[in-house]
Amino acid sequence: QVQVVESGGGLVQAGGSLRLSCAASGSISSIETMAWYRQAPGKQRELVAHITRADSTNYADSVKGRFTISRDNAKNTVYLQTNSLKPEDTALYYCNVLVVTDSSRYRSYWGQGTQVTVSS
């Protein structure tokens, strides 16, 4: 089994910053891709940022230039540095990892989410 745990969310004023972290643990051989998604009330879950094992990244247009995704392969951890936050960034932020398990199978896992609330 693989566990995925996010942290770092909170309440921040517009223009502020937060650093989200997501750690994966368990029966992991390697992690291929790691990503952050978010879901605001009444809206669909959307991709925020994505990073491959080779550190190739892509971002939603709405966060380009403000958010930065990075990963520490030794710690099986992905980070999302969020700067210049806006009220519309308010959402539950989820981490997703694509894992190669100890039995050489590819599996996708989600965390429970961490809440980011940006006040105006």
Side-chain angles (χ1 to χ4, degrees), residues 90-119:
T90 295
L92 190 58
Y93 283 69
Y94 294 94
C95 176
N96 177 267
V97 297
L98 180 62
V99 168
V100 180
T101 68
D102 290 343
S103 56
S104 300
R105 294 186 176 184
Y106 285 78
R107 291 284 186 267
S108 176
Y109 294 93
W110 291 90
Q112 292 299 306
T114 185
Q115 179 68 38
V116 172
T117 303
V118 185
S119 63

PDB file of all heavy atoms in Angstrom, residues 90-119:
ATOM      1  N   THR A  90      -8.536  29.955  -3.799  1.00  0.00           N
ATOM      2  CA  THR A  90      -9.133  29.221  -2.688  1.00  0.00           C
ATOM      3  C   THR A  90      -9.707  27.901  -3.174  1.00  0.00           C
ATOM      4  O   THR A  90     -10.517  27.864  -4.106  1.00  0.00           O
ATOM      5  CB  THR A  90     -10.240  30.064  -2.030  1.00  0.00           C
ATOM      6  OG1 THR A  90      -9.655  31.214  -1.442  1.00  0.00           O
ATOM      7  CG2 THR A  90     -10.971  29.260  -0.961  1.00  0.00           C
ATOM      8  N   ALA A  91      -9.268  26.819  -2.559  1.00  0.00           N
ATOM      9  CA  ALA A  91      -9.707  25.488  -2.971  1.00  0.00           C
ATOM     10  C   ALA A  91      -9.097  24.439  -2.045  1.00  0.00           C
ATOM     11  O   ALA A  91      -8.208  24.752  -1.238  1.00  0.00           O
ATOM     12  CB  ALA A  91      -9.281  25.197  -4.411  1.00  0.00           C
ATOM     13  N   LEU A  92      -9.567  23.227  -2.209  1.00  0.00           N
ATOM     14  CA  LEU A  92      -8.926  22.079  -1.573  1.00  0.00           C
ATOM     15  C   LEU A  92      -7.882  21.558  -2.559  1.00  0.00           C
ATOM     16  O   LEU A  92      -8.228  21.232  -3.704  1.00  0.00           O
ATOM     17  CB  LEU A  92      -9.958  21.004  -1.252  1.00  0.00           C
ATOM     18  CG  LEU A  92      -9.513  19.837  -0.383  1.00  0.00           C
ATOM     19  CD1 LEU A  92      -8.987  20.312   0.961  1.00  0.00           C
ATOM     20  CD2 LEU A  92     -10.674  18.858  -0.178  1.00  0.00           C
ATOM     21  N   TYR A  93      -6.649  21.519  -2.133  1.00  0.00           N
ATOM     22  CA  TYR A  93      -5.548  21.133  -3.004  1.00  0.00           C
ATOM     23  C   TYR A  93      -5.187  19.666  -2.747  1.00  0.00           C
ATOM     24  O   TYR A  93      -4.906  19.282  -1.599  1.00  0.00           O
ATOM     25  CB  TYR A  93      -4.326  22.024  -2.766  1.00  0.00           C
ATOM     26  CG  TYR A  93      -4.472  23.380  -3.412  1.00  0.00           C
ATOM     27  CD1 TYR A  93      -5.399  24.306  -2.937  1.00  0.00           C
ATOM     28  CD2 TYR A  93      -3.691  23.744  -4.511  1.00  0.00           C
ATOM     29  CE1 TYR A  93      -5.553  25.545  -3.531  1.00  0.00           C
ATOM     30  CE2 TYR A  93      -3.832  24.988  -5.110  1.00  0.00           C
ATOM     31  CZ  TYR A  93      -4.768  25.872  -4.621  1.00  0.00           C
ATOM     32  OH  TYR A  93      -4.917  27.103  -5.225  1.00  0.00           O
ATOM     33  N   TYR A  94      -5.185  18.892  -3.818  1.00  0.00           N
ATOM     34  CA  TYR A  94      -4.907  17.465  -3.739  1.00  0.00           C
ATOM     35  C   TYR A  94      -3.587  17.137  -4.430  1.00  0.00           C
ATOM     36  O   TYR A  94      -3.248  17.722  -5.455  1.00  0.00           O
ATOM     37  CB  TYR A  94      -5.995  16.667  -4.452  1.00  0.00           C
ATOM     38  CG  TYR A  94      -7.358  16.731  -3.827  1.00  0.00           C
ATOM     39  CD1 TYR A  94      -8.293  17.675  -4.259  1.00  0.00           C
ATOM     40  CD2 TYR A  94      -7.731  15.841  -2.829  1.00  0.00           C
ATOM     41  CE1 TYR A  94      -9.562  17.727  -3.710  1.00  0.00           C
ATOM     42  CE2 TYR A  94      -9.000  15.885  -2.272  1.00  0.00           C
ATOM     43  CZ  TYR A  94      -9.904  16.825  -2.710  1.00  0.00           C
ATOM     44  OH  TYR A  94     -11.162  16.869  -2.161  1.00  0.00           O
ATOM     45  N   CYS A  95      -2.907  16.165  -3.884  1.00  0.00           N
ATOM     46  CA  CYS A  95      -1.687  15.642  -4.483  1.00  0.00           C
ATOM     47  C   CYS A  95      -2.008  14.298  -5.159  1.00  0.00           C
ATOM     48  O   CYS A  95      -2.764  13.483  -4.599  1.00  0.00           O
ATOM     49  CB  CYS A  95      -0.647  15.445  -3.394  1.00  0.00           C
ATOM     50  SG  CYS A  95       0.903  14.711  -3.922  1.00  0.00           S
ATOM     51  N   ASN A  96      -1.429  14.108  -6.319  1.00  0.00           N
ATOM     52  CA  ASN A  96      -1.561  12.829  -7.013  1.00  0.00           C
ATOM     53  C   ASN A  96      -0.179  12.335  -7.411  1.00  0.00           C
ATOM     54  O   ASN A  96       0.644  13.113  -7.909  1.00  0.00           O
ATOM     55  CB  ASN A  96      -2.426  12.988  -8.262  1.00  0.00           C
ATOM     56  CG  ASN A  96      -2.530  11.705  -9.058  1.00  0.00           C
ATOM     57  OD1 ASN A  96      -1.750  11.481  -9.983  1.00  0.00           O
ATOM     58  ND2 ASN A  96      -3.464  10.858  -8.704  1.00  0.00           N
ATOM     59  N   VAL A  97       0.072  11.052  -7.192  1.00  0.00           N
ATOM     60  CA  VAL A  97       1.362  10.470  -7.578  1.00  0.00           C
ATOM     61  C   VAL A  97       1.125   9.216  -8.408  1.00  0.00           C
ATOM     62  O   VAL A  97       0.197   8.440  -8.131  1.00  0.00           O
ATOM     63  CB  VAL A  97       2.220  10.141  -6.335  1.00  0.00           C
ATOM     64  CG1 VAL A  97       2.563  11.404  -5.574  1.00  0.00           C
ATOM     65  CG2 VAL A  97       1.523   9.146  -5.422  1.00  0.00           C
ATOM     66  N   LEU A  98       1.951   9.057  -9.422  1.00  0.00           N
ATOM     67  CA  LEU A  98       1.945   7.832 -10.228  1.00  0.00           C
ATOM     68  C   LEU A  98       3.165   7.023  -9.813  1.00  0.00           C
ATOM     69  O   LEU A  98       4.299   7.429 -10.062  1.00  0.00           O
ATOM     70  CB  LEU A  98       1.991   8.152 -11.717  1.00  0.00           C
ATOM     71  CG  LEU A  98       1.985   6.932 -12.645  1.00  0.00           C
ATOM     72  CD1 LEU A  98       0.704   6.133 -12.467  1.00  0.00           C
ATOM     73  CD2 LEU A  98       2.149   7.367 -14.102  1.00  0.00           C
ATOM     74  N   VAL A  99       2.891   5.906  -9.167  1.00  0.00           N
ATOM     75  CA  VAL A  99       3.927   5.131  -8.498  1.00  0.00           C
ATOM     76  C   VAL A  99       4.206   3.842  -9.257  1.00  0.00           C
ATOM     77  O   VAL A  99       3.282   3.215  -9.785  1.00  0.00           O
ATOM     78  CB  VAL A  99       3.455   4.797  -7.058  1.00  0.00           C
ATOM     79  CG1 VAL A  99       4.344   3.753  -6.409  1.00  0.00           C
ATOM     80  CG2 VAL A  99       3.390   6.054  -6.218  1.00  0.00           C
ATOM     81  N   VAL A 100       5.464   3.454  -9.305  1.00  0.00           N
ATOM     82  CA  VAL A 100       5.828   2.097  -9.692  1.00  0.00           C
ATOM     83  C   VAL A 100       6.017   1.342  -8.385  1.00  0.00           C
ATOM     84  O   VAL A 100       6.887   1.685  -7.584  1.00  0.00           O
ATOM     85  CB  VAL A 100       7.120   2.052 -10.530  1.00  0.00           C
ATOM     86  CG1 VAL A 100       7.456   0.611 -10.900  1.00  0.00           C
ATOM     87  CG2 VAL A 100       6.967   2.910 -11.773  1.00  0.00           C
ATOM     88  N   THR A 101       5.187   0.332  -8.166  1.00  0.00           N
ATOM     89  CA  THR A 101       5.219  -0.359  -6.884  1.00  0.00           C
ATOM     90  C   THR A 101       6.365  -1.372  -6.838  1.00  0.00           C
ATOM     91  O   THR A 101       7.059  -1.615  -7.820  1.00  0.00           O
ATOM     92  CB  THR A 101       3.897  -1.097  -6.635  1.00  0.00           C
ATOM     93  OG1 THR A 101       3.802  -2.191  -7.575  1.00  0.00           O
ATOM     94  CG2 THR A 101       2.706  -0.169  -6.812  1.00  0.00           C
ATOM     95  N   ASP A 102       6.544  -1.963  -5.681  1.00  0.00           N
ATOM     96  CA  ASP A 102       7.583  -2.980  -5.507  1.00  0.00           C
ATOM     97  C   ASP A 102       7.340  -4.185  -6.414  1.00  0.00           C
ATOM     98  O   ASP A 102       8.272  -4.946  -6.701  1.00  0.00           O
ATOM     99  CB  ASP A 102       7.640  -3.421  -4.045  1.00  0.00           C
ATOM    100  CG  ASP A 102       8.188  -2.320  -3.161  1.00  0.00           C
ATOM    101  OD1 ASP A 102       8.800  -1.372  -3.709  1.00  0.00           O
ATOM    102  OD2 ASP A 102       8.006  -2.389  -1.936  1.00  0.00           O
ATOM    103  N   SER A 103       6.093  -4.380  -6.850  1.00  0.00           N
ATOM    104  CA  SER A 103       5.775  -5.478  -7.773  1.00  0.00           C
ATOM    105  C   SER A 103       5.746  -4.993  -9.219  1.00  0.00           C
ATOM    106  O   SER A 103       5.158  -5.657 -10.091  1.00  0.00           O
ATOM    107  CB  SER A 103       4.430  -6.107  -7.394  1.00  0.00           C
ATOM    108  OG  SER A 103       3.412  -5.118  -7.372  1.00  0.00           O
ATOM    109  N   SER A 104       6.366  -3.836  -9.476  1.00  0.00           N
ATOM    110  CA  SER A 104       6.535  -3.293 -10.835  1.00  0.00           C
ATOM    111  C   SER A 104       5.223  -2.930 -11.530  1.00  0.00           C
ATOM    112  O   SER A 104       5.128  -3.006 -12.760  1.00  0.00           O
ATOM    113  CB  SER A 104       7.334  -4.263 -11.709  1.00  0.00           C
ATOM    114  OG  SER A 104       8.613  -4.469 -11.157  1.00  0.00           O
ATOM    115  N   ARG A 105       4.227  -2.562 -10.749  1.00  0.00           N
ATOM    116  CA  ARG A 105       2.957  -2.117 -11.338  1.00  0.00           C
ATOM    117  C   ARG A 105       2.833  -0.605 -11.183  1.00  0.00           C
ATOM    118  O   ARG A 105       3.331  -0.027 -10.226  1.00  0.00           O
ATOM    119  CB  ARG A 105       1.788  -2.806 -10.651  1.00  0.00           C
ATOM    120  CG  ARG A 105       1.751  -4.301 -10.901  1.00  0.00           C
ATOM    121  CD  ARG A 105       0.502  -4.912 -10.319  1.00  0.00           C
ATOM    122  NE  ARG A 105       0.420  -6.339 -10.628  1.00  0.00           N
ATOM    123  CZ  ARG A 105      -0.621  -7.094 -10.307  1.00  0.00           C
ATOM    124  NH1 ARG A 105      -1.668  -6.570  -9.694  1.00  0.00           N
ATOM    125  NH2 ARG A 105      -0.623  -8.378 -10.619  1.00  0.00           N
ATOM    126  N   TYR A 106       2.161   0.003 -12.156  1.00  0.00           N
ATOM    127  CA  TYR A 106       1.907   1.434 -12.085  1.00  0.00           C
ATOM    128  C   TYR A 106       0.570   1.648 -11.375  1.00  0.00           C
ATOM    129  O   TYR A 106      -0.443   1.051 -11.732  1.00  0.00           O
ATOM    130  CB  TYR A 106       1.856   2.050 -13.486  1.00  0.00           C
ATOM    131  CG  TYR A 106       3.203   2.212 -14.138  1.00  0.00           C
ATOM    132  CD1 TYR A 106       3.848   1.119 -14.712  1.00  0.00           C
ATOM    133  CD2 TYR A 106       3.841   3.437 -14.166  1.00  0.00           C
ATOM    134  CE1 TYR A 106       5.084   1.258 -15.304  1.00  0.00           C
ATOM    135  CE2 TYR A 106       5.086   3.585 -14.767  1.00  0.00           C
ATOM    136  CZ  TYR A 106       5.697   2.498 -15.328  1.00  0.00           C
ATOM    137  OH  TYR A 106       6.926   2.641 -15.920  1.00  0.00           O
ATOM    138  N   ARG A 107       0.598   2.510 -10.378  1.00  0.00           N
ATOM    139  CA  ARG A 107      -0.618   2.817  -9.630  1.00  0.00           C
ATOM    140  C   ARG A 107      -0.695   4.314  -9.357  1.00  0.00           C
ATOM    141  O   ARG A 107       0.332   4.947  -9.100  1.00  0.00           O
ATOM    142  CB  ARG A 107      -0.633   2.071  -8.300  1.00  0.00           C
ATOM    143  CG  ARG A 107      -0.806   0.555  -8.406  1.00  0.00           C
ATOM    144  CD  ARG A 107      -2.234   0.180  -8.709  1.00  0.00           C
ATOM    145  NE  ARG A 107      -2.437  -1.267  -8.674  1.00  0.00           N
ATOM    146  CZ  ARG A 107      -2.360  -2.048  -9.727  1.00  0.00           C
ATOM    147  NH1 ARG A 107      -2.084  -1.521 -10.928  1.00  0.00           N
ATOM    148  NH2 ARG A 107      -2.560  -3.342  -9.612  1.00  0.00           N
ATOM    149  N   SER A 108      -1.900   4.853  -9.411  1.00  0.00           N
ATOM    150  CA  SER A 108      -2.122   6.271  -9.119  1.00  0.00           C
ATOM    151  C   SER A 108      -2.751   6.388  -7.741  1.00  0.00           C
ATOM    152  O   SER A 108      -3.703   5.665  -7.422  1.00  0.00           O
ATOM    153  CB  SER A 108      -3.038   6.880 -10.179  1.00  0.00           C
ATOM    154  OG  SER A 108      -3.343   8.227  -9.864  1.00  0.00           O
ATOM    155  N   TYR A 109      -2.215   7.312  -6.947  1.00  0.00           N
ATOM    156  CA  TYR A 109      -2.726   7.509  -5.593  1.00  0.00           C
ATOM    157  C   TYR A 109      -3.022   8.986  -5.350  1.00  0.00           C
ATOM    158  O   TYR A 109      -2.287   9.860  -5.843  1.00  0.00           O
ATOM    159  CB  TYR A 109      -1.711   7.024  -4.554  1.00  0.00           C
ATOM    160  CG  TYR A 109      -1.481   5.542  -4.582  1.00  0.00           C
ATOM    161  CD1 TYR A 109      -0.448   4.990  -5.340  1.00  0.00           C
ATOM    162  CD2 TYR A 109      -2.290   4.669  -3.854  1.00  0.00           C
ATOM    163  CE1 TYR A 109      -0.228   3.631  -5.381  1.00  0.00           C
ATOM    164  CE2 TYR A 109      -2.072   3.299  -3.882  1.00  0.00           C
ATOM    165  CZ  TYR A 109      -1.046   2.784  -4.644  1.00  0.00           C
ATOM    166  OH  TYR A 109      -0.840   1.435  -4.679  1.00  0.00           O
ATOM    167  N   TRP A 110      -4.043   9.221  -4.547  1.00  0.00           N
ATOM    168  CA  TRP A 110      -4.438  10.576  -4.163  1.00  0.00           C
ATOM    169  C   TRP A 110      -4.300  10.756  -2.657  1.00  0.00           C
ATOM    170  O   TRP A 110      -4.516   9.824  -1.893  1.00  0.00           O
ATOM    171  CB  TRP A 110      -5.910  10.823  -4.528  1.00  0.00           C
ATOM    172  CG  TRP A 110      -6.191  10.900  -5.984  1.00  0.00           C
ATOM    173  CD1 TRP A 110      -6.521   9.869  -6.805  1.00  0.00           C
ATOM    174  CD2 TRP A 110      -6.171  12.071  -6.799  1.00  0.00           C
ATOM    175  NE1 TRP A 110      -6.718  10.329  -8.083  1.00  0.00           N
ATOM    176  CE2 TRP A 110      -6.507  11.678  -8.107  1.00  0.00           C
ATOM    177  CE3 TRP A 110      -5.907  13.424  -6.546  1.00  0.00           C
ATOM    178  CZ2 TRP A 110      -6.587  12.588  -9.171  1.00  0.00           C
ATOM    179  CZ3 TRP A 110      -5.981  14.319  -7.599  1.00  0.00           C
ATOM    180  CH2 TRP A 110      -6.317  13.905  -8.894  1.00  0.00           C
ATOM    181  N   GLY A 111      -3.972  11.989  -2.291  1.00  0.00           N
ATOM    182  CA  GLY A 111      -4.029  12.348  -0.893  1.00  0.00           C
ATOM    183  C   GLY A 111      -5.417  12.818  -0.519  1.00  0.00           C
ATOM    184  O   GLY A 111      -6.329  12.861  -1.360  1.00  0.00           O
ATOM    185  N   GLN A 112      -5.587  13.182   0.743  1.00  0.00           N
ATOM    186  CA  GLN A 112      -6.891  13.617   1.247  1.00  0.00           C
ATOM    187  C   GLN A 112      -7.141  15.098   1.001  1.00  0.00           C
ATOM    188  O   GLN A 112      -8.278  15.567   1.139  1.00  0.00           O
ATOM    189  CB  GLN A 112      -6.984  13.324   2.749  1.00  0.00           C
ATOM    190  CG  GLN A 112      -7.015  11.837   3.060  1.00  0.00           C
ATOM    191  CD  GLN A 112      -8.221  11.161   2.446  1.00  0.00           C
ATOM    192  OE1 GLN A 112      -9.353  11.561   2.638  1.00  0.00           O
ATOM    193  NE2 GLN A 112      -7.966  10.110   1.668  1.00  0.00           N
ATOM    194  N   GLY A 113      -6.103  15.834   0.668  1.00  0.00           N
ATOM    195  CA  GLY A 113      -6.265  17.252   0.374  1.00  0.00           C
ATOM    196  C   GLY A 113      -5.861  18.152   1.531  1.00  0.00           C
ATOM    197  O   GLY A 113      -5.920  17.760   2.694  1.00  0.00           O
ATOM    198  N   THR A 114      -5.448  19.357   1.169  1.00  0.00           N
ATOM    199  CA  THR A 114      -5.133  20.386   2.158  1.00  0.00           C
ATOM    200  C   THR A 114      -5.815  21.678   1.702  1.00  0.00           C
ATOM    201  O   THR A 114      -5.741  22.053   0.531  1.00  0.00           O
ATOM    202  CB  THR A 114      -3.614  20.565   2.327  1.00  0.00           C
ATOM    203  OG1 THR A 114      -3.344  21.495   3.380  1.00  0.00           O
ATOM    204  CG2 THR A 114      -2.931  21.043   1.058  1.00  0.00           C
ATOM    205  N   GLN A 115      -6.501  22.326   2.626  1.00  0.00           N
ATOM    206  CA  GLN A 115      -7.307  23.490   2.284  1.00  0.00           C
ATOM    207  C   GLN A 115      -6.455  24.749   2.209  1.00  0.00           C
ATOM    208  O   GLN A 115      -5.686  25.042   3.129  1.00  0.00           O
ATOM    209  CB  GLN A 115      -8.428  23.690   3.322  1.00  0.00           C
ATOM    210  CG  GLN A 115      -9.311  24.901   3.078  1.00  0.00           C
ATOM    211  CD  GLN A 115     -10.169  24.761   1.833  1.00  0.00           C
ATOM    212  OE1 GLN A 115     -10.680  23.671   1.533  1.00  0.00           O
ATOM    213  NE2 GLN A 115     -10.326  25.852   1.097  1.00  0.00           N
ATOM    214  N   VAL A 116      -6.636  25.486   1.112  1.00  0.00           N
ATOM    215  CA  VAL A 116      -6.028  26.810   0.949  1.00  0.00           C
ATOM    216  C   VAL A 116      -7.159  27.819   0.840  1.00  0.00           C
ATOM    217  O   VAL A 116      -8.030  27.696  -0.030  1.00  0.00           O
ATOM    218  CB  VAL A 116      -5.134  26.871  -0.299  1.00  0.00           C
ATOM    219  CG1 VAL A 116      -4.677  28.305  -0.558  1.00  0.00           C
ATOM    220  CG2 VAL A 116      -3.935  25.951  -0.137  1.00  0.00           C
ATOM    221  N   THR A 117      -7.148  28.792   1.728  1.00  0.00           N
ATOM    222  CA  THR A 117      -8.157  29.838   1.711  1.00  0.00           C
ATOM    223  C   THR A 117      -7.462  31.193   1.634  1.00  0.00           C
ATOM    224  O   THR A 117      -6.604  31.502   2.469  1.00  0.00           O
ATOM    225  CB  THR A 117      -9.041  29.788   2.960  1.00  0.00           C
ATOM    226  OG1 THR A 117      -9.658  28.493   3.053  1.00  0.00           O
ATOM    227  CG2 THR A 117     -10.127  30.849   2.908  1.00  0.00           C
ATOM    228  N   VAL A 118      -7.817  31.972   0.631  1.00  0.00           N
ATOM    229  CA  VAL A 118      -7.201  33.280   0.419  1.00  0.00           C
ATOM    230  C   VAL A 118      -8.264  34.351   0.629  1.00  0.00           C
ATOM    231  O   VAL A 118      -9.278  34.375  -0.075  1.00  0.00           O
ATOM    232  CB  VAL A 118      -6.613  33.394  -0.996  1.00  0.00           C
ATOM    233  CG1 VAL A 118      -5.879  34.720  -1.157  1.00  0.00           C
ATOM    234  CG2 VAL A 118      -5.674  32.227  -1.285  1.00  0.00           C
ATOM    235  N   SER A 119      -8.030  35.212   1.590  1.00  0.00           N
ATOM    236  CA  SER A 119      -8.985  36.270   1.884  1.00  0.00           C
ATOM    237  C   SER A 119      -8.622  37.544   1.128  1.00  0.00           C
ATOM    238  O   SER A 119      -7.449  37.821   0.866  1.00  0.00           O
ATOM    239  CB  SER A 119      -9.001  36.552   3.391  1.00  0.00           C
ATOM    240  OG  SER A 119      -7.740  37.015   3.817  1.00  0.00           O
TER     241      SER A 119
END
